Coordinates of all heavy atoms in Angstrom, one line a residue:
V96 N -5.7 -12.1 -137.4 CA -5.8 -11.7 -138.8 C -6.5 -12.7 -139.6 O -7.4 -12.4 -140.5 CB -4.4 -11.4 -139.3 CG1 -4.4 -11.2 -140.9 CG2 -3.7 -10.3 -138.6
A97 N -6.3 -14.0 -139.2 CA -7.0 -15.1 -140.0 C -8.5 -15.1 -139.7 O -9.3 -15.5 -140.6 CB -6.5 -16.5 -139.5
A98 N -8.9 -14.5 -138.6 CA -10.3 -14.4 -138.3 C -11.0 -13.2 -139.0 O -12.2 -12.9 -138.8 CB -10.6 -14.4 -136.9
G99 N -10.2 -12.4 -139.8 CA -10.7 -11.2 -140.4 C -10.8 -10.0 -139.6 O -11.4 -9.0 -139.8
L100 N -10.1 -10.0 -138.5 CA -10.0 -8.9 -137.5 C -8.8 -8.2 -137.6 O -7.8 -8.7 -138.2 CB -10.2 -9.5 -136.0 CG -11.5 -10.3 -135.7 CD1 -11.4 -10.9 -134.5 CD2 -12.7 -9.3 -135.9
I101 N -8.6 -7.0 -137.0 CA -7.5 -6.2 -137.0 C -6.8 -6.2 -135.7 O -7.5 -6.1 -134.6 CB -7.8 -4.7 -137.4 CG1 -8.2 -4.7 -138.9 CG2 -6.6 -3.8 -137.2 CD1 -8.7 -3.3 -139.3
F102 N -5.5 -6.4 -135.6 CA -4.8 -6.4 -134.4 C -4.2 -5.0 -134.2 O -3.5 -4.5 -135.1 CB -3.6 -7.4 -134.4 CG -2.7 -7.5 -133.2 CD1 -3.3 -8.2 -132.1 CD2 -1.5 -6.9 -133.2 CE1 -2.4 -8.3 -130.9 CE2 -0.7 -7.0 -132.0 CZ -1.2 -7.6 -130.9
I103 N -4.5 -4.4 -133.1 CA -4.2 -3.0 -132.8 C -2.7 -3.2 -132.2 O -2.5 -3.1 -131.0 CB -5.1 -2.3 -131.8 CG1 -6.5 -2.4 -132.5 CG2 -4.7 -0.9 -131.6 CD1 -7.5 -1.8 -131.5
G104 N -1.8 -3.2 -133.2 CA -0.4 -3.4 -132.8 C 0.5 -3.7 -134.0 O -0.1 -3.7 -135.1
P105 N 1.7 -4.1 -133.9 CA 2.5 -4.4 -135.0 C 2.2 -5.8 -135.7 O 1.3 -6.5 -135.1 CB 4.0 -4.5 -134.4 CG 3.7 -4.9 -133.0 CD 2.4 -4.3 -132.6
S106 N 2.8 -6.1 -136.8 CA 2.5 -7.3 -137.5 C 3.2 -8.4 -136.8 O 4.1 -8.2 -136.0 CB 3.1 -7.2 -138.9 OG 4.5 -7.1 -138.8
A107 N 2.7 -9.7 -137.1 CA 3.3 -10.8 -136.5 C 4.8 -10.9 -136.9 O 5.7 -11.3 -136.1 CB 2.6 -12.0 -136.9
A108 N 5.1 -10.5 -138.1 CA 6.5 -10.5 -138.6 C 7.5 -9.6 -137.7 O 8.5 -10.0 -137.3 CB 6.6 -10.2 -140.0
S109 N 6.9 -8.4 -137.4 CA 7.7 -7.5 -136.5 C 7.9 -8.1 -135.1 O 9.0 -8.0 -134.5 CB 7.0 -6.1 -136.5 OG 7.1 -5.5 -137.8
I110 N 6.8 -8.6 -134.5 CA 6.9 -9.1 -133.3 C 8.0 -10.3 -133.3 O 8.8 -10.5 -132.4 CB 5.6 -9.6 -132.8 CG1 4.6 -8.4 -132.6 CG2 5.7 -10.5 -131.4 CD1 3.2 -8.8 -132.2
R111 N 7.9 -11.3 -134.2 CA 8.8 -12.3 -134.4 C 10.3 -11.8 -134.5 O 11.2 -12.4 -133.9 CB 8.5 -13.3 -135.5 CG 7.2 -14.1 -135.3 CD 7.1 -15.2 -136.3 NE 5.9 -16.0 -136.0 CZ 4.7 -15.9 -136.4 NH1 4.4 -14.9 -137.3 NH2 3.7 -16.8 -136.1
A112 N 10.4 -10.8 -135.2 CA 11.8 -10.2 -135.5 C 12.4 -9.7 -134.1 O 13.6 -9.8 -134.0 CB 11.8 -9.1 -136.4
M113 N 11.6 -9.2 -133.3 CA 12.1 -8.6 -132.0 C 11.7 -9.4 -130.8 O 12.1 -9.1 -129.6 CB 11.5 -7.2 -131.9 CG 12.1 -6.2 -132.8 SD 13.9 -6.0 -132.6 CE 14.2 -4.5 -133.5
G114 N 11.0 -10.4 -130.9 CA 10.5 -11.2 -129.8 C 11.5 -12.0 -129.0 O 11.3 -12.2 -127.9
L115 N 12.6 -12.4 -129.7 CA 13.6 -13.2 -129.0 C 14.9 -12.3 -128.9 O 15.3 -11.8 -130.0 CB 13.9 -14.5 -129.8 CG 12.7 -15.4 -129.9 CD1 13.1 -16.6 -130.7 CD2 12.3 -15.9 -128.5
K116 N 15.4 -12.1 -127.7 CA 16.4 -11.1 -127.6 C 17.6 -11.4 -128.3 O 18.3 -10.5 -128.9 CB 16.8 -11.0 -126.0 CG 15.7 -10.5 -125.2 CD 16.2 -10.5 -123.7 CE 15.2 -10.0 -122.7 NZ 14.1 -10.8 -122.6
D117 N 18.0 -12.7 -128.5 CA 19.2 -13.1 -129.2 C 19.1 -12.7 -130.8 O 20.0 -12.1 -131.3 CB 19.6 -14.5 -129.0 CG 18.4 -15.4 -129.3 OD1 17.3 -15.0 -129.6 OD2 18.7 -16.7 -129.2
A118 N 18.0 -13.1 -131.3 CA 17.7 -12.8 -132.7 C 17.6 -11.3 -133.0 O 18.1 -10.8 -134.0 CB 16.5 -13.5 -133.2
A119 N 17.0 -10.7 -132.0 CA 16.8 -9.1 -132.2 C 18.2 -8.5 -132.2 O 18.4 -7.5 -133.0 CB 15.9 -8.6 -131.2
K120 N 19.1 -8.9 -131.4 CA 20.3 -8.2 -131.3 C 21.2 -8.5 -132.5 O 22.0 -7.7 -133.0 CB 21.1 -8.7 -130.0 CG 20.5 -8.1 -128.7 CD 21.1 -8.4 -127.5 CE 20.4 -7.8 -126.3 NZ 21.0 -7.9 -125.1
R121 N 21.0 -9.7 -133.1 CA 21.8 -9.9 -134.3 C 21.2 -9.1 -135.5 O 22.0 -8.5 -136.2 CB 21.6 -11.5 -134.7 CG 22.4 -12.4 -133.8 CD 22.4 -13.8 -134.4 NE 21.2 -14.5 -134.5 CZ 20.6 -15.3 -133.6 NH1 21.3 -15.4 -132.4 NH2 19.6 -15.8 -133.7
L122 N 19.9 -8.9 -135.4 CA 19.2 -8.0 -136.5 C 19.7 -6.5 -136.3 O 20.0 -5.9 -137.3 CB 17.7 -8.1 -136.4 CG 16.9 -7.2 -137.3 CD1 17.1 -7.5 -138.7 CD2 15.4 -7.3 -136.9
M123 N 19.8 -6.1 -135.0 CA 20.2 -4.7 -134.8 C 21.6 -4.5 -135.2 O 22.1 -3.5 -135.6 CB 20.0 -4.4 -133.3 CG 18.6 -4.3 -132.9 SD 17.6 -3.0 -133.7 CE 16.8 -4.0 -135.0
E124 N 22.5 -5.5 -135.0 CA 23.9 -5.4 -135.4 C 24.0 -5.2 -136.9 O 24.8 -4.3 -137.4 CB 24.7 -6.7 -135.1 CG 25.0 -6.8 -133.6 CD 25.8 -8.1 -133.2 OE1 25.3 -9.1 -133.5 OE2 26.9 -7.9 -132.7
K125 N 23.2 -5.9 -137.6 CA 23.1 -5.7 -139.1 C 22.6 -4.3 -139.5 O 23.0 -3.7 -140.5 CB 22.3 -6.8 -139.8 CG 22.8 -8.2 -139.6 CD 21.9 -9.2 -140.3 CE 22.5 -10.6 -140.2 NZ 21.5 -11.6 -140.9
A126 N 21.7 -3.7 -138.6 CA 21.1 -2.4 -138.9 C 22.0 -1.3 -138.5 O 21.7 -0.1 -138.7 CB 19.8 -2.3 -138.3
G127 N 23.2 -1.6 -137.8 CA 24.1 -0.6 -137.4 C 23.7 0.0 -136.0 O 24.1 1.1 -135.6
V128 N 22.8 -0.7 -135.2 CA 22.5 -0.2 -133.9 C 23.4 -1.0 -132.9 O 23.6 -2.1 -132.9 CB 21.0 -0.6 -133.6 CG1 20.6 -0.1 -132.2 CG2 20.1 0.1 -134.5
P129 N 24.1 -0.1 -131.9 CA 25.0 -0.8 -131.0 C 24.4 -1.7 -130.1 O 23.2 -1.5 -129.6 CB 25.6 0.4 -130.3 CG 24.6 1.5 -130.5 CD 24.0 1.3 -131.8
V130 N 25.0 -2.9 -129.8 CA 24.4 -3.9 -128.9 C 25.4 -4.2 -127.8 O 26.6 -4.0 -128.0 CB 24.0 -5.2 -129.7 CG1 23.0 -4.9 -130.7 CG2 25.3 -5.9 -130.3
V131 N 24.9 -4.7 -126.7 CA 25.8 -5.0 -125.5 C 26.7 -6.2 -125.9 O 26.3 -7.2 -126.5 CB 24.9 -5.4 -124.4 CG1 25.8 -5.8 -123.1 CG2 23.9 -4.3 -124.0
P132 N 28.0 -6.2 -125.5 CA 28.9 -7.3 -125.8 C 28.4 -8.6 -125.1 O 28.0 -8.5 -123.9 CB 30.2 -6.8 -125.2 CG 30.1 -5.3 -125.2 CD 28.6 -5.0 -124.9
G133 N 28.4 -9.6 -125.8 CA 27.8 -10.9 -125.1 C 27.6 -12.0 -126.2 O 28.0 -11.9 -127.3
Y134 N 27.0 -13.1 -125.6 CA 26.8 -14.3 -126.5 C 25.3 -14.3 -126.8 O 24.5 -14.4 -125.9 CB 27.2 -15.6 -125.8 CG 26.8 -16.8 -126.6 CD1 27.4 -17.1 -127.7 CD2 25.8 -17.5 -126.1 CE1 27.0 -18.3 -128.5 CE2 25.3 -18.7 -126.8 CZ 25.9 -19.0 -128.0 OH 25.5 -20.1 -128.7
H135 N 24.9 -14.2 -128.0 CA 23.5 -14.2 -128.4 C 23.2 -15.3 -129.5 O 22.3 -15.3 -130.2 CB 23.1 -12.9 -129.1 CG 23.6 -11.7 -128.4 ND1 24.3 -10.6 -129.0 CD2 23.4 -11.4 -127.1 CE1 24.5 -9.7 -128.0 NE2 24.0 -10.2 -126.8
G136 N 24.0 -16.5 -129.4 CA 23.8 -17.6 -130.3 C 22.8 -18.5 -129.9 O 22.1 -18.5 -128.8
E137 N 22.6 -19.6 -130.8 CA 21.5 -20.5 -130.6 C 21.9 -21.7 -129.7 O 21.1 -22.2 -129.0 CB 21.1 -21.2 -132.0 CG 20.4 -20.2 -132.9 CD 18.9 -20.0 -132.4 OE1 18.4 -20.8 -131.6 OE2 18.3 -18.9 -132.8
A138 N 23.2 -22.1 -129.6 CA 23.7 -23.2 -128.9 C 23.5 -22.9 -127.4 O 23.8 -21.8 -126.9 CB 25.2 -23.5 -129.2
Q139 N 23.1 -23.8 -126.7 CA 22.7 -23.7 -125.2 C 23.4 -24.6 -124.3 O 23.0 -24.7 -123.1 CB 21.2 -23.7 -125.1 CG 20.5 -22.7 -125.8 CD 20.5 -21.3 -125.1 OE1 20.1 -21.2 -123.9 NE2 21.1 -20.3 -125.8
E140 N 24.4 -25.3 -124.8 CA 25.1 -26.3 -123.9 C 25.8 -25.5 -122.7 O 26.4 -24.4 -122.9 CB 26.1 -27.1 -124.6 CG 25.6 -28.0 -125.7 CD 25.2 -27.3 -127.0 OE1 25.4 -26.2 -127.1 OE2 24.6 -28.0 -127.8
I141 N 25.7 -26.1 -121.6 CA 26.2 -25.3 -120.4 C 27.7 -25.1 -120.4 O 28.2 -24.0 -120.1 CB 25.9 -26.1 -119.1 CG1 26.3 -25.2 -117.8 CG2 26.4 -27.4 -119.0 CD1 25.9 -25.8 -116.5
V142 N 28.5 -26.0 -121.1 CA 29.9 -25.9 -121.2 C 30.2 -24.7 -122.0 O 31.1 -23.8 -121.8 CB 30.6 -27.2 -121.7 CG1 32.0 -26.9 -122.0 CG2 30.3 -28.3 -120.8
L143 N 29.5 -24.6 -123.2 CA 29.6 -23.4 -124.2 C 29.3 -22.2 -123.4 O 30.0 -21.1 -123.6 CB 28.8 -23.7 -125.4 CG 28.8 -22.4 -126.3 CD1 30.2 -22.2 -127.0 CD2 27.7 -22.6 -127.5
L144 N 28.1 -22.1 -122.8 CA 27.7 -20.8 -122.1 C 28.7 -20.4 -121.0 O 28.9 -19.2 -120.9 CB 26.3 -21.0 -121.5 CG 25.1 -21.2 -122.5 CD1 23.9 -21.4 -121.8 CD2 24.9 -20.0 -123.5
A145 N 29.2 -21.3 -120.3 CA 30.2 -21.0 -119.2 C 31.4 -20.5 -119.9 O 32.1 -19.6 -119.3 CB 30.5 -22.2 -118.4
S146 N 31.8 -21.1 -121.0 CA 33.0 -20.7 -121.7 C 32.9 -19.2 -122.2 O 33.8 -18.4 -122.2 CB 33.3 -21.6 -122.9 OG 34.4 -21.1 -123.6
K147 N 31.7 -18.9 -122.8 CA 31.4 -17.6 -123.3 C 31.4 -16.5 -122.2 O 31.9 -15.4 -122.4 CB 30.1 -17.6 -124.0 CG 30.0 -18.4 -125.3 CD 31.0 -17.7 -126.4 CE 30.9 -18.5 -127.7 NZ 31.9 -18.0 -128.7
A148 N 30.9 -16.9 -121.0 CA 30.9 -16.1 -119.8 C 32.3 -15.7 -119.5 O 32.6 -14.5 -119.1 CB 30.2 -16.8 -118.6
R149 N 33.2 -16.7 -119.5 CA 34.6 -16.4 -119.2 C 35.3 -15.5 -120.2 O 36.0 -14.6 -119.8 CB 35.4 -17.7 -119.1 CG 35.2 -18.5 -117.8 CD 36.2 -19.6 -117.6 NE 36.2 -20.6 -118.7 CZ 35.3 -21.7 -118.7 NH1 34.6 -21.9 -117.6 NH2 35.3 -22.5 -119.7
E150 N 34.9 -15.6 -121.4 CA 35.4 -14.8 -122.5 C 35.0 -13.4 -122.4 O 35.7 -12.4 -122.5 CB 35.0 -15.3 -123.9 CG 35.6 -16.6 -124.3 CD 35.2 -17.1 -125.7 OE1 34.5 -16.3 -126.4 OE2 35.3 -18.2 -126.0
I151 N 33.6 -13.2 -122.0 CA 33.1 -11.9 -121.9 C 33.7 -11.2 -120.7 O 34.0 -10.0 -120.7 CB 31.6 -12.0 -121.6 CG1 30.9 -12.5 -122.9 CG2 30.9 -10.7 -121.3 CD1 29.5 -13.0 -122.7
G152 N 33.9 -12.0 -119.6 CA 34.5 -11.4 -118.4 C 33.4 -11.1 -117.3 O 32.4 -10.6 -117.6
Y153 N 33.7 -11.7 -116.1 CA 32.7 -11.4 -115.0 C 32.8 -10.1 -114.4 O 33.9 -9.5 -114.4 CB 33.0 -12.5 -114.0 CG 32.5 -13.9 -114.3 CD1 33.3 -14.8 -115.0 CD2 31.2 -14.4 -114.0 CE1 32.9 -16.1 -115.4 CE2 30.7 -15.6 -114.4 CZ 31.5 -16.4 -115.1 OH 31.1 -17.7 -115.4
P154 N 31.7 -9.5 -113.9 CA 30.4 -10.2 -113.8 C 29.6 -10.2 -115.2 O 29.8 -9.4 -116.0 CB 29.6 -9.2 -112.7 CG 30.2 -7.9 -113.0 CD 31.7 -8.2 -113.3
V155 N 28.8 -11.2 -115.3 CA 27.9 -11.4 -116.4 C 26.5 -11.4 -116.1 O 26.2 -11.6 -114.9 CB 28.3 -12.6 -117.3 CG1 29.7 -12.6 -117.8 CG2 28.1 -13.9 -116.5
L156 N 25.6 -11.2 -117.1 CA 24.2 -11.3 -116.8 C 23.5 -12.4 -117.7 O 23.7 -12.3 -118.9 CB 23.6 -9.9 -117.1 CG 22.2 -9.6 -116.7 CD1 22.1 -9.6 -115.1 CD2 21.6 -8.3 -117.1
I157 N 22.9 -13.4 -117.0 CA 22.2 -14.3 -117.8 C 20.8 -13.8 -118.0 O 20.1 -13.5 -117.0 CB 22.1 -15.7 -117.0 CG1 23.6 -16.2 -116.8 CG2 21.3 -16.7 -117.7 CD1 23.6 -17.4 -115.9
K158 N 20.3 -13.9 -119.2 CA 18.9 -13.4 -119.5 C 18.2 -14.3 -120.3 O 18.6 -14.9 -121.3 CB 19.0 -12.0 -120.2 CG 19.7 -10.9 -119.4 CD 20.0 -9.6 -120.2 CE 18.7 -9.0 -120.7 NZ 19.0 -7.7 -121.4
A159 N 17.0 -14.5 -120.0 CA 16.0 -15.3 -120.8 C 15.9 -14.6 -122.2 O 15.8 -13.4 -122.2 CB 14.6 -15.4 -120.2
R160 N 15.9 -15.3 -123.3 CA 15.9 -14.7 -124.5 C 14.3 -14.3 -124.9 O 14.3 -13.5 -125.7 CB 16.4 -15.6 -125.6 CG 15.5 -16.8 -126.0 CD 16.0 -17.5 -127.3 NE 15.1 -18.4 -127.9 CZ 15.1 -18.8 -129.1 NH1 16.1 -18.4 -130.0 NH2 14.2 -19.5 -129.7
A161 N 13.4 -14.8 -124.2 CA 12.0 -14.5 -124.4 C 11.6 -13.7 -123.2 O 12.1 -13.8 -122.1 CB 11.2 -15.8 -124.6
G162 N 10.5 -12.9 -123.4 CA 9.9 -12.2 -122.2 C 10.6 -11.1 -121.7 O 11.6 -10.5 -122.4
G163 N 10.3 -10.7 -120.5 CA 10.9 -9.6 -119.8 C 10.5 -9.5 -118.4 O 10.1 -10.5 -117.7
G164 N 10.5 -8.3 -117.8 CA 10.1 -8.1 -116.4 C 11.0 -8.6 -115.4 O 10.6 -8.8 -114.2
G165 N 12.3 -8.9 -115.7 CA 13.2 -9.5 -114.8 C 13.1 -10.9 -114.6 O 13.9 -11.5 -113.9
K166 N 12.2 -11.6 -115.3 CA 12.1 -13.1 -115.1 C 13.1 -13.8 -115.9 O 13.3 -13.4 -117.1 CB 10.6 -13.5 -115.5 CG 9.6 -12.8 -114.6 CD 8.2 -13.3 -115.0 CE 7.1 -12.7 -114.1 NZ 6.9 -11.3 -114.3
G167 N 13.7 -14.8 -115.3 CA 14.7 -15.5 -116.0 C 16.1 -14.7 -116.1 O 16.8 -14.9 -117.1
M168 N 16.3 -13.8 -115.1 CA 17.5 -13.0 -115.2 C 18.3 -13.2 -114.0 O 17.8 -13.1 -112.9 CB 17.1 -11.5 -115.4 CG 18.3 -10.6 -115.6 SD 17.8 -8.9 -115.8 CE 16.8 -8.9 -117.2
R169 N 19.7 -13.4 -114.1 CA 20.5 -13.6 -113.0 C 21.9 -12.9 -113.2 O 22.5 -13.1 -114.2 CB 20.7 -15.1 -112.7 CG 19.5 -15.9 -112.4 CD 19.0 -15.5 -111.0 NE 17.9 -16.4 -110.6 CZ 16.6 -16.2 -111.0 NH1 16.3 -15.2 -111.7 NH2 15.7 -17.0 -110.5
R170 N 22.3 -12.1 -112.3 CA 23.7 -11.6 -112.3 C 24.6 -12.7 -111.7 O 24.3 -13.2 -110.6 CB 23.7 -10.3 -111.5 CG 25.2 -9.7 -111.5 CD 25.1 -8.4 -110.6 NE 26.5 -7.9 -110.5 CZ 26.8 -6.8 -109.9 NH1 25.9 -6.0 -109.5 NH2 28.1 -6.4 -109.8
V171 N 25.7 -12.9 -112.3 CA 26.7 -13.8 -111.9 C 28.1 -13.2 -111.6 O 28.6 -12.6 -112.5 CB 26.9 -15.0 -112.8 CG1 27.7 -16.1 -112.1 CG2 25.5 -15.6 -113.2
E172 N 28.6 -13.3 -110.4 CA 29.8 -12.5 -110.1 C 31.1 -13.4 -110.3 O 32.1 -12.9 -110.5 CB 29.8 -12.1 -108.6 CG 28.7 -11.1 -108.3 CD 29.1 -9.7 -108.8 OE1 30.3 -9.5 -109.2 OE2 28.2 -8.8 -108.7
H173 N 30.9 -14.8 -110.2 CA 32.1 -15.6 -110.1 C 31.7 -16.9 -111.0 O 30.5 -17.4 -110.9 CB 32.4 -16.0 -108.7 CG 33.7 -16.7 -108.5 ND1 33.8 -18.1 -108.7 CD2 34.9 -16.2 -108.2 CE1 35.1 -18.4 -108.5 NE2 35.8 -17.3 -108.2
P174 N 32.7 -17.5 -111.6 CA 32.5 -18.7 -112.4 C 31.9 -19.9 -111.5 O 31.1 -20.7 -112.1 CB 33.9 -19.1 -112.9 CG 34.6 -17.8 -113.0 CD 34.1 -17.0 -111.7
D175 N 32.3 -20.0 -110.3 CA 31.7 -21.1 -109.5 C 30.3 -21.0 -109.3 O 29.5 -22.0 -109.0 CB 32.4 -21.1 -108.1 CG 33.8 -21.5 -108.2 OD1 34.3 -22.0 -109.2 OD2 34.5 -21.2 -107.2
D176 N 29.6 -19.8 -109.5 CA 28.2 -19.6 -109.3 C 27.4 -19.7 -110.6 O 26.2 -19.7 -110.6 CB 27.9 -18.2 -108.7 CG 28.6 -18.1 -107.3 OD1 28.8 -19.1 -106.6 OD2 29.1 -16.9 -107.1
F177 N 28.1 -19.9 -111.8 CA 27.4 -19.8 -113.1 C 26.4 -21.0 -113.2 O 25.2 -20.7 -113.7 CB 28.5 -19.9 -114.1 CG 27.8 -19.6 -115.5 CD1 27.6 -18.4 -116.0 CD2 27.5 -20.8 -116.4 CE1 27.0 -18.1 -117.2 CE2 26.9 -20.5 -117.6 CZ 26.7 -19.2 -118.1
S178 N 26.7 -22.2 -112.9 CA 25.9 -23.3 -113.1 C 24.6 -23.2 -112.4 O 23.5 -23.4 -113.0 CB 26.6 -24.6 -112.7 OG 25.7 -25.7 -112.9
E179 N 24.7 -22.8 -111.1 CA 23.4 -22.7 -110.3 C 22.5 -21.5 -110.9 O 21.4 -21.8 -110.9 CB 23.8 -22.5 -108.9 CG 22.7 -22.2 -107.9 CD 21.8 -23.5 -107.7 OE1 22.2 -24.6 -108.0 OE2 20.6 -23.3 -107.4
A180 N 23.1 -20.4 -111.1 CA 22.4 -19.3 -111.7 C 21.7 -19.6 -113.0 O 20.6 -19.2 -113.3 CB 23.3 -18.1 -111.8
L181 N 22.4 -20.4 -113.8 CA 21.9 -20.8 -115.1 C 20.6 -21.6 -114.9 O 19.6 -21.4 -115.6 CB 22.9 -21.5 -116.0 CG 22.5 -22.0 -117.3 CD1 22.0 -20.9 -118.2 CD2 23.6 -22.8 -118.0
S182 N 20.7 -22.6 -114.0 CA 19.6 -23.5 -113.8 C 18.4 -22.8 -113.3 O 17.3 -23.0 -113.7 CB 20.0 -24.6 -112.8 OG 21.1 -25.4 -113.3
S183 N 18.7 -21.9 -112.4 CA 17.5 -21.1 -111.9 C 16.9 -20.2 -112.9 O 15.7 -20.1 -112.9 CB 18.1 -20.2 -110.6 OG 17.1 -19.5 -110.0
A184 N 17.7 -19.6 -113.7 CA 17.2 -18.6 -114.7 C 16.4 -19.5 -115.7 O 15.3 -19.0 -116.2 CB 18.3 -18.0 -115.4
R185 N 16.8 -20.7 -116.1 CA 16.1 -21.5 -117.0 C 14.8 -21.9 -116.6 O 13.8 -21.9 -117.2 CB 17.1 -22.7 -117.4 CG 18.1 -22.4 -118.5 CD 19.0 -23.5 -118.7 NE 19.8 -23.4 -120.0 CZ 20.8 -24.2 -120.3 NH1 21.1 -25.2 -119.5 NH2 21.4 -24.0 -121.4
R186 N 14.8 -22.4 -115.3 CA 13.4 -22.8 -114.7 C 12.5 -21.6 -114.7 O 11.3 -21.8 -115.0 CB 13.7 -23.2 -113.2 CG 14.3 -24.6 -113.1 CD 14.1 -25.1 -111.7 NE 14.7 -24.2 -110.6 CZ 15.9 -24.3 -110.2 NH1 16.8 -25.1 -110.7 NH2 16.3 -23.4 -109.3
E187 N 13.0 -20.4 -114.3 CA 12.1 -19.3 -114.2 C 11.6 -18.9 -115.6 O 10.4 -18.5 -115.7 CB 12.8 -18.1 -113.5 CG 11.8 -17.1 -113.0 CD 12.5 -16.1 -112.0 OE1 13.1 -15.1 -112.5 OE2 12.5 -16.3 -110.8
A188 N 12.5 -18.9 -116.6 CA 12.1 -18.5 -117.9 C 11.2 -19.5 -118.5 O 10.2 -19.1 -119.2 CB 13.4 -18.5 -118.8
K189 N 11.3 -20.8 -118.2 CA 10.4 -21.8 -118.7 C 9.0 -21.6 -118.1 O 8.0 -21.7 -118.9 CB 11.0 -23.3 -118.3 CG 10.1 -24.4 -118.9 CD 10.3 -24.5 -120.4 CE 9.6 -25.8 -120.9 NZ 9.7 -25.9 -122.4

Side-chain angles (χ1 to χ4, degrees):
V96 173
L100 302 168
I101 295 174
F102 181 76
I103 302 175
S106 67
S109 292
I110 295 175
R111 288 190 173 98
M113 290 297 196
L115 298 176
K116 295 182 180 70
D117 51 357
K120 289 183 178 182
R121 292 194 294 269
L122 177 62
M123 290 299 98
E124 285 181 302
K125 291 181 181 178
V128 178
V130 301
V131 182
Y134 173 72
H135 309 131
E137 290 288 339
Q139 293 288 299
E140 292 80 7
I141 184 172
V142 174
L143 174 66
L144 294 177
S146 173
K147 293 296 182 182
R149 285 192 296 272
E150 290 177 16
I151 296 165
Y153 285 88
V155 297
L156 196 64
I157 300 172
K158 297 172 67 175
R160 74 168 194 162
K166 299 179 178 68
M168 185 181 295
R169 297 291 186 274
R170 176 180 174 174
V171 190
E172 296 282 351
H173 192 275
D175 291 346
D176 302 324
F177 186 84
S178 177
E179 176 67 20
L181 176 63
S182 297
S183 180
R185 280 175 163 169
R186 285 195 305 271
E187 197 167 89
K189 184 69 173 179

